[in-house]
Amino acid sequence: RYQCQQNKTMVADYYDGTSRVGPDGRPIPGGRVLLQLSDGRRFSLPQTLSGSGIRYADSSESLVFWSKGDTAFVEEGPTKAVTYRD
């Protein structure tokens, strides 16, 4: 559970999965997160490649959830506006 700015919250349930190698030779992570935002929306997002921390995104990259250590944030829309943070 993450307590964010502006009294928002996120609840994230993390699931491991088997990674595989894509056709281009890059790894494809097999994890998934079930994310619940305090505005009532729920998402099941697959893990994606990340240079640091753990990154999950929908197929259109219009919703991205990042987590590193004990912090997390959500980016939304074409401008990647951060809607949940800290």
Side-chain angles (χ1 to χ4, degrees), residues 2-76:
Y2 298 93
Q3 182 65 45
C4 305
Q5 292 180 356
Q6 301 170 342
N7 291 324
K8 295 179 178 181
T9 60
M10 298 184 285
V11 176
D13 293 312
Y14 297 94
Y15 296 91
D16 287 331
T18 303
S19 296
R20 60 189 195 283
V21 177
D24 60 0
R26 294 188 323 166
I28 300 171
R32 177 165 293 283
V33 68
L34 299 179
L35 180 65
Q36 180 178 342
L37 303 177
S38 56
D39 65 8
R41 295 181 291 160
R42 296 173 186 238
F43 302 93
S44 176
L45 302 170
Q47 187 177 354
T48 61
L49 288 178
S50 168
S52 180
I54 304 173
R55 182 179 187 272
Y56 301 86
D58 64 9
S59 60
S60 66
E61 299 271 328
S62 62
L63 186 112
V64 179
F65 172 73
W66 290 83
S67 175
K68 183 175 180 180
D70 61 356
T71 63
F73 64 94
V74 172
E75 296 176 333
E76 295 190 67

